[in-house]
């Protein structure tokens, strides 16, 4: 989906997105400046101390580097830098490739850019979601992390298709009996089990109650 973008807030550049060099917009990032011009190697040493890079680590595949510190609600690693919370998988990638772009210009105009997990896209057995260990992978190799347009990221991850194939929640409650979907304040459609959630996310519901549909 094309985005309306204030071009004065970004630095125009070129980057390899979806496997091809394309025009991109890169925001000024305080955490990236701190990574490059901070005190010595302290940030990267601290980052390294939170990563498993051996075969005995809790990992998604043998060559994933697993983030072992805190993760956000979506399952992505979090790293504190310059007073900001940054997704952990961006740190070493940015050190090697530069500050990741926020938008890429494609056939439909400006579109958001993700630093997508290719290791997840290749794993047909992974159901995705916050428990997916691929989301904790911080290996900057192109086989693991790659810049993707928003539409390519959705197609590659097949997250929607995986969710639609599920008939039961993680606690094995049938969605047809106990399930519902709703749209959160960010516009993302989410699927939850009534029996498990029991109204815990009621404050996040938007729109009318008619918008809640029993998930089949």
């Amino acid at each position: 989906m094309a985005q309306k973008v204030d071009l004065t807030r970004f630095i125009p550049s070129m980057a390899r997105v979806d496997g091809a060099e394309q025009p991109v917009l890169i925001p000024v990032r305080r955490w990236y400046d701190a990574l490059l011009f901070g005190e010595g190697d302290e940030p990267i040493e601290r980052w390294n101390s939170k990563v498993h890079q051996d075969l005995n680590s809790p990992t998604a595949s043998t060559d994933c580097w697993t983030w072992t510190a805190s993760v956000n609600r979506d399952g992505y690693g979090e790293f504190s830098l310059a007073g900001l919370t940054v997704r952990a998988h961006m740190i070493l990638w940015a050190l090697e490739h530069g500050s990741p772009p926020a938008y890429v210009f494609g056939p439909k105009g400006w579109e958001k850019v993700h630093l997508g997990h290719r290791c997840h896209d290749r794993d047909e057995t992974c159901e995705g979601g916050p428990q997916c260990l691929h989301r904790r992978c911080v290996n900057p190799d192109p086989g693991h992390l790659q810049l993707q347009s928003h539409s390519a990221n959705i197609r590659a991850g097949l997250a929607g298709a995986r969710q639609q194939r599920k008939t039961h929640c993680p606690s094995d409650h049938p969605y047809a009996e106990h399930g519902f979907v709703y749209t959160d304040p960010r516009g993302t459609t989410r699927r939850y089990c009534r029996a498990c959630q029991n109204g815990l996310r009621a404050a996040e519901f938007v729109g009318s109650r008619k918008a809640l549909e029993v998930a089949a």
Side-chain angles (χ1 to χ4, degrees), residues 42-64:
E42 187 275 334
I44 198 61
E45 289 176 354
R46 186 162 49 86
W47 183 90
N48 272 327
S49 70
K50 305 175 188 295
V51 178
H52 271 309
Q53 299 181 27
D54 60 77
L55 299 184
N56 294 320
S57 67
T59 187
S61 59
T62 55
D63 53 350
C64 283

Side-chain angles (χ1 to χ4, degrees), residues 92-132:
L92 190 56
W93 190 94
L95 200 61
E96 294 188 3
H97 302 284
S99 182
Y103 295 95
V104 60
F105 191 79
K108 297 182 179 180
W110 292 108
E111 187 175 357
K112 287 186 177 181
V113 174
H114 300 269
L115 186 56
H117 283 87
R118 294 286 295 125
C119 48
H120 169 74
D121 299 344
R122 295 192 305 271
D123 188 351
E124 291 295 329
T125 66
C126 184
E127 292 292 334
Q131 303 306 314
C132 170

Side-chain angles (χ1 to χ4, degrees), residues 60 71-76 126-136 170:
V71 297
N72 63 19
R73 60 175 288 182
D74 294 321
Y76 294 98
C126 184
E127 292 292 334
Q131 303 306 314
C132 170
L133 285 178
H134 293 286
R135 294 190 178 189
R136 303 187 188 192

Side-chain angles (χ1 to χ4, degrees), residues 7 18 20-21 32 68 70 114 126 137 145 160 174 205:
L7 300 181
D18 296 340
E21 288 290 320
Y32 180 68
T68 63
S70 63
H114 300 269
C126 184
C137 179
L145 295 176
F205 292 165

Side-chain angles (χ1 to χ4, degrees), residues 25-34 84 86 90 98-102 113:
L25 296 176
I26 301 175
V28 176
R29 290 188 168 98
R30 187 153 49 93
W31 66 261
Y32 180 68
D33 291 339
L84 302 171
V86 187
M90 288 188 172
S99 182
V113 174

Side-chain angles (χ1 to χ4, degrees), residues 34-45:
L35 183 64
L36 292 185
F37 308 113
E39 297 181 6
D41 294 328
E42 187 275 334
I44 198 61
E45 289 176 354

